[in-house]
Amino acid sequence: MNDQTSIDIEKLIEITQGFIDLTKDLLSRGKITEDQYIEMTQNKYRFLENVHKQSMNA
């Protein structure tokens, strides 16, 4: 893994943390249901798994 890939992954982690914080806030304010929260976070987790697999193959 090169330095640029590491930087990109760090940025992705930061963005993902922001996404999770946002979805937690939406859930706590009743803007989304718990089922929606779970679905959104599971989709994000799958996306991160795919990115990880791709970075390992690069």
Side-chain angles (χ1 to χ4, degrees), residues 24-55:
K24 283 181 184 178
D25 181 57
L26 292 172
L27 178 62
S28 70
R29 292 189 294 136
K31 301 290 184 179
I32 61 174
T33 65
E34 189 167 345
D35 287 341
Q36 289 171 313
Y37 171 79
I38 290 168
E39 182 179 348
M40 292 168 79
T41 54
Q42 285 177 341
N43 286 339
K44 183 59 75 178
Y45 180 73
R46 281 192 292 276
F47 170 75
L48 290 174
E49 283 183 324
N50 289 336
V51 169
H52 176 71
K53 287 176 187 175
Q54 290 174 0
S55 71

Side-chain angles (χ1 to χ4, degrees), residues 3-26:
D3 289 340
Q4 184 60 44
T5 302
S6 295
I7 292 169
D8 291 345
I9 290 174
E10 287 177 22
K11 287 179 184 177
L12 183 58
I13 291 169
E14 289 176 29
I15 292 168
T16 300
Q17 186 58 52
F19 173 81
I20 291 171
D21 292 343
L22 172 65
T23 55
K24 283 181 184 178
D25 181 57
L26 292 172

